[in-house]
Structures are given as structure tokens and as C-alpha cells.
């Protein structure tokens, strides 16, 4: 039998009995004034009816021992259960919230937290998710504030004014919208709840008034008893009432139930049937509690135990005097086992939290250790930055710490990261000063190039232009925002000068015209070239064609487009041979380098080397950016389309990087 079926069995036990067998009181306080035993005079075989007042000095009211044990021993678990049940009195969502999985919100990214909040709003009752939303909101604020602090420091270090700083993200906007929806729905729920609570209170006060009227009614006792049962059922089915009215309403209700029982003691048969019924149901409750005492799921067992205590206290009346101490002792013993296991469970959680605290403190110490450096290079600092990023991620994934040190631990972590960032930013501020100095030097070289680009004194100016090109390479980095701009200015000035030289040198000679005609004929023949079936032989033949093309010689400057046509023809032949893309690219690139190397001026080969190096830096930067982006995909499966796309891009960029490195190595071999 499942746990749910067992609970249903407790709630529906003895359903086939008549109304007389279904007497259910709603709180153990009923039992303080339970029915008094009738006494029989054996001498005349008549029954004496003893009033409650007369019997009070002779007999202990039913279930007083149960209540007195709780008071005398100040049983912590009973108090905990009753306080929890009272707190939930007006909350219809308290059962639902126990069914919602409590996730490790402190390990989630900002995006994951926003998604989790949206899921809760979509799938769960608004009154059941309060504690979950509070945890999510706390973590989101902590992580967002940390991110904003970092962005703010970067903004200021880049020369921005603090008053102008502003940062926003799609995730922040998405979360705000979800949280606003939560607050709106929660307010609507409480407004509706308040209205229902007031109506339920009015209904219950009316029931109490009707209970008062049952005493001393001059009608058949069975009719009165049936009316009493109907009032009890109405009380149970009436919804929750305001929490601040809860105790007063219950006490008043219990008092008048007790008064009715005092009145009912005149009919022993009805009372004995109630005793029997209550005993049967309490034994079922005890059996279920004893089963729960063996359940490994401690929190689930404790939650159901709360319900059992609620049933015992609020739904069942007293039992016969001869049973009361025994059954309460059994129920209390099972309760103690479950409570002890619950406290042990929390102790184990505390140990886990303490271990997490040790881990986080070690991470903070590791970050602080990374902040101790002198005379570091840009590359060295970049390694430390990656280490700090990894430590930050480990900190967020380390789990919860004891709540009493949570804020202090977070503050210490933030300060360690902030100190590292301050020193890092100070380093780059110094680096930027040096870069600004380099910028001024390169601007001076640009001015020299611009002043001389139109000169016709080639013998004097050519060595000067080559010298400033060499000086440019020796000057270090400039600010990134200026790098491309000044390079294009410098390159344009230098190219303008050297293009004029080449234009003069490349005035079409008869020899170059003849070379053009030969290459035209060569190109036509190449289109009809038959390739051997063997791949190696085919590649050898293609390389031979390339060598013969180069041997033909240079063509006029305005006819150089024919080299592009030749490259396309070579591409077509390589495709027919099914040559790997990388190998084909290197074959063509060797041809290009041979052409550059054959020129009189080495600047073309130098420019090509500079270009390849620049491309390598660009591709490395793109790979780093993509790998950093992957760190934001927490709790996302590898088969996610977006994640797969990032991995594919990284793979393609790495293939491109390998090809560029091979090209650079080939260039170096020519020097």
C-alpha cells in the first residue's frame, strides 16, 4: 500500500459506521472536559446519572494525561509540530510547496535563475513558491551586483566617469518582468485570500453560536447528536481563517464542544461508540507514525507526521481512560524517533555547509594569493585573470554555507575579487600610458610618410620609407581603439609611395607583353589538362604547372589579373583530385609566396608576414571569446543547439588557426 493510500485509510476509517460511530472532535483540548463515566448501583440495578461537577473530584477527564505529558516534559518536537500547523492555518498552499524541488540556486547563472523563476510561475501555485522565489531573488541580486561592480570598475578604468556609468542586460530585464509578474499574482492571491478568510471566520462564528444552542434542547438525544455531527462537519469543511483569529476561534469552538460532551454524558451508549471510533482511528494514526519512523526520507516523514498530529489534535476526540496513556505513549515514542532523525538530518546538513564554508574560504585565499605579484607581463596577468575566473566559478558552485556566515563570506569573496581587479586595472592603466606614448611615436611616423609619399626623389626617399617601416615594427602596442585606424593611415601613405615607384618600374616592356601572351596561351592549355588517376602524381603535375607559370615571367602591371585566373584554374584541378582543403590551400599559398619572393622589393613579403600575424591574433581572440561564452552556459545539455554551434565555431576557428600558423612558418623559411 502506498503512503498516500495509507493516509487516505486514516482519513476514511470507519466510514461504514452510523452517525453515532462517527463522532470526531477537533482538538485535544476537547479531552480536558470529556464525558464522565456513568456509575451503576448494583443493589437496585438502576443507573445513577452523575453530573460533570459532581464527578470532577472523582475521575480524571479523558486524555488529561496526554496533555499534561506535553506540558510537563515541554516536548520540543510536539511544540515544533503544533507551531508549524498553526502557522499553516491560513495558507492553503503549504502542502504544495513541499512537493516543489528545492534546487541549488546558488550554483545557477543569472540566465538559469530567470528561467527557473519563469518555470515556477508557469507550473506552480503562487502561494506555494514564496520560499523558492525568495532564494532565487537573493542569489540573482548577489550575482547581478557582483557583475555590475566588475563592469563599473572596467568602465572607470577605461577612462569613463562614474556618474555616466550605466549597465543593463537582457537577462536583467527578463528577470525583472518575471518577478513583477510574481508580485502582482501574489498580491492578487492575498487580496482574494483576505476576503475568503473573513467569510470563513464569519461562518465559523455562526457554527459556534449554533453549538451553544444544542445544550439542554428538549428534543430526542439522537436528533441533537446528529445535529452536532453536522456542525462538526461544517466546521471541518469551512476553509482557513485569519491567523490572528485562529486560536480564539478554536478555543471557543473547543469550549462549546466540551460543553456538549458534558451534556452528552447523560447518554452512555453514544459516548462509548465515540470512544471506540476514536480509539480505532488513533491506532491507525499510531501505526502510520511507526511506519514513518522507519522511512529513510526524513523530511517527508516529518511533514506527514505533522498531518497526523493535526488529525489527532483537531479531528479526533477522546478514548477510554484505560487506553489513553498507552496510545499516547506509543504515538509520542514514534514522534520522538522521527524528530531525532530530523535533527540528525539537519546536523548532517550543517556539516556539509561547514565543509562548503572551508572550500569557499580556501577559494578566497587562493584569489588573494593570486593578487601577490610584481613585474608581471601582459601574458602572465592574462593567465592570472583566467585563474581568478575559474576560482569565481568554483566559488559559485561550492554550495551553501551556514546562514550566519553567508553574508560575511560573500563580502570577503567580493573584496578579494575586487582587490585583484584593482591591481589588474592599475597594471593596465600603466600599460595604457605606455601605449599612448607608442601612439604618439607612430603618429610621427605617419606624418613622415604623408609628407614624403608624393616625392619623386626615389633614391633619397626610398631608404627613408623603408626605415620608418622598420621603426614602426619596433614600436610596441597602441590602444586597441586606435590600432586599426593608424595602421591604415600608415599603410596607405607607404603604399601610395611604393605604388608610384612600381608604376614607373612596371611600365609595360615588350618582354612583359610577351609574357602576358604566353600566360594567356598557357591558361587555355591548362583548362584542357588531363590529370592522372594517382593523386600524388596529379599533385606533382599541378606543382609543375605552377613552376612553369612562374618561369614565364612577370606581366605588365595592368595585366596582373591573369594570375587570379590561373589560381582559379589550379583550384579546379585540385578539386578534381579531391585534395584536402588545407593541403590545397598550402599548395596555392606556396605559389603566392614564390611570386612575392620573386619581386625586387621585400616589402610585399614583409606585408604578408604582418598580415598573417594579425590574422592569427584575431583568430586567437575569437577562440578565447567563444570559450569564455561557453562558461555562461551552466546547467545546459551539450546537445543544446546553441552550445553545439559554439563548439562547431571553435573547431572551425582552430582549424583556421592551424592553417595560418603553417603559412607563417612557410614565410619564415623564406627569410
Amino acid at each position: 500500500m502506498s503512503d498516500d493510500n495509507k493516509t487516505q485509510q486514516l482519513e476514511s476509517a470507519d466510514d461504514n459506521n452510523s452517525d453515532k460511530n462517527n463522532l470526531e472532535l477537533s482538538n485535544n483540548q476537547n479531552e480536558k472536559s470529556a464525558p464522565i463515566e456513568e456509575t451503576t448501583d448494583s443493589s437496585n440495578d438502576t443507573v445513577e446519572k452523575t453530573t460533570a461537577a459532581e464527578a470532577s473530584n472523582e475521575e480524571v477527564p479523558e486524555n488529561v494525561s496526554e496533555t499534561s505529558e506535553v506540558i510537563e516534559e515541554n516536548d520540543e518536537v510536539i511544540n515544533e509540530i503544533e507551531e508549524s500547523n498553526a502557522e499553516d492555518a491560513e495558507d492553503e498552499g503549504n502542502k504544495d510547496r513541499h512537493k516543489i524541488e528545492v534546487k541549488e540556486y546558488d550554483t545557477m547563472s543569472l540566465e538559469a535563475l530567470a528561467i527557473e523563476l519563469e518555470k515556477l510561475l508557469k507550473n506552480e501555485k503562487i502561494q506555494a513558491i514564496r520560499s523558492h522565489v525568495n532564494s532565487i531573488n537573493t542569489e540573482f541580486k548577489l550575482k547581478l551586483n557582483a557583475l555590475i561592480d566588475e563592469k563599473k570598475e572596467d568602465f572607470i578604468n577605461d577612462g569613463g566617469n562614474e556618474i555616466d556609468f550605466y549597465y543593463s542586460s537582457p537577462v536583467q530585464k527578463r528577470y525583472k518582468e518575471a518577478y513583477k509578474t510574481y508580485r502582482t499574482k501574489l498580491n492578487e492571491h492575498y487580496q482574494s485570500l483576505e476576503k475568503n478568510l473573513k467569510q470563513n471566520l464569519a461562518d465559523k462564528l455562526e457554527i459556534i453560536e449554533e453549538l451553544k444552542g444544542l445544550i439542554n434542547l428538549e428534543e430526542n438525544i439522537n436528533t441533537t447528536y446528529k445535529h452536532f455531527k453536522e456542525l462538526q462537519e461544517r466546521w471541518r469543511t469551512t476553509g482557513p481563517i485569519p491567523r490572528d483569529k485562529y486560536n480564539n476561534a478554536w478555543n471557543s469552538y473547543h469550549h462549546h464542544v466540551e460543553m456538549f460532551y458534558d451534556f452528552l454524558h447523560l447518554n452512555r451508549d453514544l459516548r462509548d461508540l465515540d470512544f471506540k471510533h476514536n480509539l480505532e482511528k488513533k491506532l491507525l494514526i499510531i501505526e502510520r507514525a511507526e511506519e514513518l519512523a522507519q522511512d529513510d526520507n526524513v523530511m517527508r516523514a516529518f511533514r506527514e507526521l505533522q498531518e497526523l498530529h493535526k488529525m489527532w489534535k483537531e479531528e479526533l476526540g477522546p478514548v477510554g481512560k484505560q487506553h489513553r496513556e498507552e496510545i499516547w505513549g506509543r504515538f509520542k515514542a514514534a514522534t520522538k524517533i522521527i524528530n531525532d532523525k530530523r535533527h540528525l538530518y539537519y546536523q548532517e546538513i550543517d556539516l556539509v555547509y561547514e565543509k562548503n564554508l572551508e572550500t569557499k574560504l580556501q577559494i578566497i585565499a587562493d584569489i588573494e594569493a593570486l593578487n601577490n605579484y610584481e613585474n608581471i607581463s601582459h601574458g602572465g596577468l592574462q593567465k592570472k585573470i583566467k585563474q581568478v575566473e575559474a576560482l569565481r566559478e568554483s566559488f559559485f558552485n561550492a554550495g551553501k554555507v551556514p546562514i550566519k556566515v553567508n553574508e560575511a563570506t560573500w563580502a570577503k569573496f567580493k573584496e578579494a575579487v575586487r582587490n585583484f581587479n584593482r591591481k589588474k586595472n592599475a597594471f593596465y592603466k600603466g600599460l595604457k600610458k605606455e601605449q599612448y606614448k607608442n601612439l604618439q611615436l607612430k603618429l610621427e611616423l605617419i606624418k613622415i610618410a604623408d609628407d614624403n609619399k608624393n616625392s619623386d626623389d626615389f633614391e633619397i626617399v626610398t631608404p627613408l620609407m623603408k626605415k620608418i617601416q622598420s621603426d614602426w615594427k619596433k614600436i610596441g602596442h597602441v590602444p586597441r581603439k586606435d590600432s586599426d585606424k593608424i595602421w591604415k593611415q600608415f599603410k596607405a601613405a607607404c603604399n601610395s609611395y611604393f605604388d608610384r615607384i612600381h608604376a614607373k618600374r612596371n611600365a609595360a616592356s615588350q618582354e612583359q607583353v610577351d609574357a602576358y601572351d604566353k600566360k594567356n596561351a598557357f591558361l587555355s592549355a591548362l583548362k584542357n589538362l588531363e590529370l592522372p588517376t594517382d593523386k600524388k602524381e596529379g599533385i606533382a603535375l599541378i606543382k609543375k604547372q605552377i613552376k612553369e607559370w612562374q618561369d614565364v615571367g612577370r606581366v605588365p602591371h595592368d595585366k596582373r589579373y591573369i594570375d587570379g585566373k590561373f589560381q582559379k584554374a589550379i583550384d579546379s584541378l585540385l578539386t578534381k583530385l579531391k585534395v584536402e582543403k588545407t593541403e590545397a590551400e598550402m599548395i596555392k599559398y606556396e605559389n603566392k609566396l614564390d611570386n612575392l619572393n620573386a619581386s625586387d622589393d621585400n616589402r610585399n613579403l614583409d606585408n604578408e608576414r604582418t598580415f598573417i600575424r594579425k590574422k592569427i591574433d584575431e583568430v586567437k581572440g575569437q577562440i578565447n571569446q567563444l570559450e569564455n561564452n561557453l562558461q555562461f552556459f551552466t546547467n545546459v545539455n551539450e546537445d543544446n543547439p546553441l552550445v553545439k554551434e559554439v563548439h562547431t565555431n571553435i573547431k572551425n576557428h582552430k582549424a583556421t588557426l592551424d592553417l595560418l600558423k603553417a603559412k607563417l612558418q612557410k614565410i619564415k623559411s623564406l627569410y
Side-chain angles (χ1 to χ4, degrees):
M1 183 182 295
S2 69
D3 291 347
D4 290 341
N5 289 337
K6 290 175 181 177
T7 303
Q8 290 171 7
Q9 180 189 39
L10 294 176
E11 295 172 349
S12 60
D14 210 12
D15 282 343
N16 295 326
N17 291 344
S18 66
D19 286 341
K20 293 179 181 180
N21 294 340
N22 285 324
L23 181 62
E24 296 179 350
L25 298 182
S26 302
N27 194 295
N28 281 345
Q29 293 176 2
N30 307 359
E31 303 172 358
K32 297 179 181 177
S33 300
I36 305 302
E37 296 282 353
E38 298 175 1
T39 60
T40 303
D41 187 342
S42 57
S43 62
N44 57 19
D45 200 26
T46 60
V47 178
E48 285 188 19
K49 308 298 183 181
T50 308
T51 66
E54 293 168 341
S56 62
N57 294 325
E58 299 175 10
E59 240 179 20
V60 179
E62 182 62 38
N63 210 34
V64 158
S65 64
E66 294 180 19
T67 306
S68 64
E69 285 188 40
V70 177
I71 296 173
E72 289 173 4
E73 297 188 12
N74 191 24
D75 197 315
E76 181 181 352
V77 63
I78 304 300
N79 292 337
E80 288 179 11
I81 291 172
E82 295 202 358
E83 287 174 8
S84 179
N85 284 338
E87 183 180 353
D88 292 338
E90 67 177 22
D91 182 5
E92 293 178 329
N94 69 86
K95 292 183 180 179
D96 296 306
R97 68 168 174 257
H98 294 314
K99 300 175 184 177
I100 304 174
E101 179 186 1
V102 179
K103 299 184 178 180
E104 296 292 335
Y105 300 122
D106 56 325
T107 65
M108 292 185 177
S109 66
L110 290 172
E111 184 176 13
L113 289 169
I115 292 172
E116 188 62 28
L117 177 56
E118 291 170 343
K119 286 181 179 178
L120 289 172
L121 287 171
K122 180 180 179 182
N123 301 325
E124 307 294 346
K125 293 181 179 179
I126 197 68
Q127 68 268 32
I129 63 175
R130 183 175 59 191
S131 61
H132 299 267
V133 174
N134 288 343
S135 297
I136 289 173
N137 196 42
T138 298
E139 294 300 332
F140 191 91
K141 285 181 177 179
L142 287 174
K143 292 185 177 180
L144 179 64
N145 288 338
L147 178 62
I148 291 176
D149 286 346
E150 291 181 13
K151 296 294 183 182
K152 186 175 183 179
E153 286 191 11
D154 290 342
F155 175 78
I156 294 172
N157 292 330
D158 285 337
N161 192 328
E162 183 174 358
I163 197 173
D164 297 326
F165 173 75
Y166 175 77
Y167 176 78
S168 181
S169 70
V171 172
Q172 184 181 7
K173 181 179 178 182
R174 178 179 182 180
Y175 180 83
K176 281 184 176 180
E177 290 175 354
Y179 191 74
K180 182 179 179 181
T181 301
Y182 164 73
R183 297 298 306 174
T184 300
K185 288 186 175 181
L186 189 65
N187 288 335
E188 291 172 353
H189 164 73
Y190 281 130
Q191 289 173 5
S192 174
L193 180 62
E194 183 179 5
K195 181 179 178 181
N196 292 334
L197 291 174
K198 290 180 179 179
Q199 183 59 51
N200 293 339
L201 177 60
D203 292 343
K204 287 198 171 185
L205 292 177
E206 182 180 339
I207 292 171
I208 291 172
E209 289 302 316
E210 291 188 45
L211 271 175
K212 294 179 184 178
L214 292 181
I215 307 299
N216 298 320
L217 272 180
E218 295 182 0
E219 64 179 4
N220 183 278
I221 190 64
N222 289 333
T223 301
T224 304
Y225 178 70
K226 185 176 181 181
H227 190 185
F228 171 73
K229 297 299 294 180
E230 291 172 353
L231 291 176
Q232 279 194 307
E233 183 62 25
R234 280 171 56 193
W235 181 274
R236 283 194 299 274
T237 56
T238 302
I241 63 177
R243 190 177 304 177
D244 59 340
K245 308 293 184 184
Y246 177 78
N247 286 330
N248 286 340
W250 271 113
N251 290 336
S252 180
Y253 172 71
H254 294 159
H255 170 72
H256 292 292
V257 168
E258 290 170 357
M259 295 289 291
F260 181 78
Y261 265 90
D262 286 342
F263 171 69
L264 186 65
H265 84 278
L266 299 174
N267 189 310
R268 178 178 183 139
D269 291 339
L270 288 177
R271 188 200 60 186
D272 287 348
L273 287 173
D274 284 338
F275 281 1
K276 180 183 176 183
H277 168 74
N278 294 336
L279 177 61
E280 290 173 354
K281 295 198 76 171
K282 284 191 174 183
L283 286 173
L284 287 174
I285 288 176
I286 291 169
E287 290 172 5
R288 182 58 187 151
E290 289 172 344
E291 290 179 9
L292 292 174
Q294 307 304 318
D295 195 335
D296 292 333
N297 190 324
V298 178
M299 297 310 296
R300 180 180 63 194
F302 184 78
R303 286 194 295 270
E304 188 171 340
L305 180 67
Q306 286 180 269
E307 292 300 316
L308 295 179
H309 272 268
K310 189 173 181 180
M311 291 170 62
W312 184 289
K313 173 184 176 182
E314 299 180 0
E315 298 181 17
L316 297 178
V319 300
K321 179 179 179 181
Q322 67 275 26
H323 301 296
R324 63 177 181 245
E325 291 187 11
E326 177 189 356
I327 64 172
W328 176 247
R330 282 180 61 189
F331 189 36
K332 187 175 176 185
T335 297
K336 187 175 187 307
I337 292 173
I338 296 171
N339 189 56
D340 288 345
K341 291 171 71 173
R342 175 170 168 265
H343 281 291
L344 180 60
Y345 170 78
Y346 280 125
Q347 288 174 7
E348 291 173 350
I349 288 181
D350 288 341
L351 291 176
V352 172
Y353 286 0
E354 288 292 341
K355 186 66 178 176
N356 294 344
L357 176 60
E358 291 179 11
T359 301
K360 287 193 171 183
L361 291 177
Q362 183 58 52
I363 291 172
I364 293 171
D366 292 341
I367 294 175
E368 290 172 342
L370 287 173
N371 200 28
N372 296 323
Y373 59 84
E374 298 294 338
N375 301 322
I376 196 170
S377 66
H378 166 69
L381 186 53
Q382 284 297 310
K383 289 181 181 179
K384 286 183 177 289
I385 292 172
K386 289 181 179 179
Q387 288 176 294
V388 170
E389 286 299 318
L391 288 169
R392 287 180 78 255
E393 191 67 23
S394 298
F395 184 90
F396 289 133
N397 293 332
K400 296 182 179 179
V401 300
I403 191 169
K404 62 183 179 181
V405 296
N406 185 45
E407 290 190 10
T409 306
W410 173 252
K412 191 173 182 180
F413 167 73
K414 277 198 353 181
E415 185 62 22
V417 174
R418 188 170 292 160
N419 287 338
F420 178 85
N421 287 335
R422 287 191 185 114
K423 192 166 184 179
K424 173 197 73 175
N425 294 333
F427 169 83
Y428 281 113
K429 277 185 178 178
L431 195 61
K432 285 178 181 177
K433 289 181 180 179
E434 183 180 345
Q435 290 178 347
Y436 182 77
K437 180 181 177 182
N438 294 338
L439 175 62
Q440 301 307 312
L441 293 175
K442 287 192 173 183
L443 288 174
E444 291 175 4
L445 296 181
I446 291 173
K447 186 176 186 308
I448 294 173
D450 282 334
D451 290 344
N452 291 278
K453 65 182 181 182
N454 296 320
S455 174
D456 291 326
D457 192 353
F458 298 127
E459 290 186 6
I460 301 292
V461 175
T462 298
L464 174 63
M465 296 297 279
K466 289 185 177 181
K467 181 179 183 304
I468 64 174
Q469 285 182 324
S470 177
D471 291 343
W472 182 279
K473 296 174 184 177
K474 294 176 183 177
I475 298 173
H477 293 287
V478 300
R480 185 180 300 177
K481 63 181 181 180
D482 300 307
S483 179
D484 287 342
K485 178 182 176 181
I486 64 171
W487 166 246
K488 288 177 181 178
Q489 291 176 350
F490 183 69
K491 182 180 178 181
C494 291
N495 285 351
S496 175
Y497 174 77
F498 284 107
D499 284 345
R500 289 175 56 250
I501 294 179
H502 295 153
K504 185 175 181 179
R505 290 179 179 175
N506 292 335
S509 64
Q510 187 59 44
E511 183 181 354
Q512 290 175 339
V513 172
D514 292 340
Y516 173 73
D517 292 335
K518 288 180 182 179
K519 284 192 173 183
N520 252 331
F522 189 99
L523 196 59
S524 297
L526 188 63
K527 293 179 180 178
N528 301 317
L529 181 67
E530 292 289 335
L531 293 172
T533 56
D534 184 75
K535 184 176 179 180
K536 289 185 178 179
E537 292 179 3
I539 292 175
L541 179 59
I542 291 173
K543 287 185 175 180
K544 181 181 178 184
Q545 298 301 310
I546 293 173
K547 181 67 171 62
E548 290 176 1
W549 178 274
Q550 292 172 349
D551 290 342
V552 171
R554 300 174 62 185
V555 299
H557 185 73
D558 60 345
K559 306 292 184 182
R560 287 183 181 178
Y561 63 83
I562 198 170
D563 288 328
K565 291 184 176 182
F566 176 72
Q567 288 295 340
K568 290 182 179 180
I570 293 297
D571 285 345
S572 177
L573 293 174
L574 291 171
T575 301
K576 288 180 181 179
L577 281 178
K578 297 182 179 179
V579 176
E580 292 289 336
K581 182 179 178 181
T582 301
E583 184 179 3
E585 184 68 25
M586 287 306 298
I587 291 173
K588 293 186 294 180
Y589 192 69
E590 288 174 4
N591 174 43
K592 177 181 179 180
L593 291 182
D594 287 340
N595 286 332
L596 292 176
N597 200 33
S599 65
D600 295 335
D601 192 346
N602 286 335
R603 81 178 180 93
N604 291 328
L605 197 60
D606 290 343
N607 288 341
E608 180 65 13
R609 180 172 62 177
T610 301
F611 172 78
I612 293 297
R613 282 176 173 169
K614 190 175 182 65
K615 291 295 292 182
I616 287 174
D617 290 339
E618 289 177 0
V619 174
K620 283 181 178 179
Q622 291 169 345
I623 292 173
N624 288 337
Q625 183 62 48
L626 289 169
E627 289 177 342
N628 287 338
N629 290 345
L630 277 178
Q631 296 180 7
F632 292 97
F633 291 95
T634 59
N635 298 324
V636 178
N637 294 330
E638 287 294 320
D639 58 355
N640 182 284
L642 189 57
V643 174
K644 290 172 70 174
E645 181 182 353
V646 175
H647 280 297
T648 300
N649 288 340
I650 291 174
K651 182 179 179 182
N652 293 339
H653 279 77
K654 287 184 176 180
T656 302
L657 182 62
D658 291 340
L659 180 61
L660 290 171
K661 288 180 177 179
K663 287 182 177 181
L664 182 61
Q665 193 61 36
K666 190 67 179 177
I667 294 174
K668 289 180 179 179
S669 68
L670 298 177
Y671 278 85

